Amino acid sequence: MESFPAKTRRPRTPRQIHYQGKFIRAVSENGWEWVERTNTTGAVVIVPITPRGEVVLIEQYRIPMGAAVIELPAGLAGDTAGDETESLLSAARRELLEEAGFEADRWEYLTEGPSSAGLATEVFALFLARDARRTAPGGGDAAEEITVHVIPYAELEPWLERRRADGAMIDPKVFAGLYFALTRGAVRGIP
């Protein structure tokens, strides 16, 4: 496989801020427009796997997409007043409990990367939560309406296809998370 060297960083010119909201700001520089997160120190995405090899997913209606989206539990770190120095792992534990109602004692940092490199500066950290167990109802905070799905890994692909056929969108981070779950031995592949 051929690879190409990455271009070195270019000198930056002054950027313009076009909009500043509570959670985002829109900026531009040299003809590029993008969005930056404000009032946060990072983002986390969690791949929760139960002791029986089930995958915990969430579903919520996303206004920008105009559709229900099937996702891994996720959220922001340091976005709560008084807890601005929250660690990524602490945020992952909190978001898993808040959104899905699950906790786990075995956590593994997997990787990090941009959520949408051409649109936003947001970088998310991906964590594997092994032996996840339900300890609360989940469903998110007062501003969220989250449905929790616990799907046996062997049934996941046809389940996702049925949800897609029903009009739901599938966040590609689900597939990235499943790759890591498989390669780290958290679930077994389908023969």
Side-chain angles (χ1 to χ4, degrees):
M1 183 161 101
E2 188 176 355
S3 65
F4 299 93
K7 292 186 177 187
T8 58
R9 292 184 178 250
R10 297 179 186 165
R12 299 202 62 172
T13 59
R15 63 187 188 143
Q16 293 181 297
I17 297 174
H18 300 282
Y19 169 79
Q20 174 79 41
K22 183 176 179 183
F23 300 108
I24 63 168
R25 85 177 128 248
V27 297
S28 67
E29 178 182 335
N30 288 338
W32 278 89
E33 298 176 337
W34 69 92
V35 177
E36 296 176 338
R37 285 266 189 203
T38 59
N39 303 319
T40 181
T41 58
V44 295
V45 179
I46 305 103
V47 186
I49 306 294
T50 72
R52 295 173 44 178
E54 299 157 314
V55 180
V56 180
L57 298 173
I58 63 167
E59 178 176 347
Q60 56 185 320
Y61 183 83
R62 293 295 196 169
I63 291 173
M65 305 308 336
V69 180
I70 306 295
E71 311 170 22
L72 292 166
L76 301 173
D79 62 330
T80 304
D83 204 9
E84 292 86 357
T85 61
E86 178 183 36
S87 73
L88 293 174
L89 180 57
S90 293
R93 289 179 183 275
R94 176 180 50 76
E95 291 290 349
L96 179 59
L97 181 60
E98 178 184 292
E99 291 193 351
F102 277 74
E103 294 183 86
D105 295 324
R106 297 176 56 202
W107 287 82
E108 184 179 342
Y109 168 84
L110 298 170
T111 192
E112 65 184 46
S115 59
S116 181
L119 176 67
T121 59
E122 179 178 78
V123 172
F124 68 88
L126 188 63
F127 288 91
L128 176 62
R130 295 177 184 263
D131 299 328
R133 64 198 181 283
R134 185 182 291 274
T135 60
D141 62 24
E144 298 171 310
E145 291 183 30
I146 294 174
T147 302
V148 179
H149 300 285
V150 182
I151 312 297
Y153 180 76
E155 300 170 20
L156 189 58
E157 187 175 352
W159 184 86
L160 288 170
E161 284 307 312
R162 283 192 306 275
R163 293 300 296 126
R164 186 187 325 269
D166 290 341
M169 299 182 81
I170 313 300
D171 184 332
K173 289 187 286 297
V174 168
F175 301 106
L178 292 174
Y179 163 81
F180 280 105
L182 279 168
T183 60
R184 302 296 170 97
V187 294
R188 283 177 272 167
I190 299 171

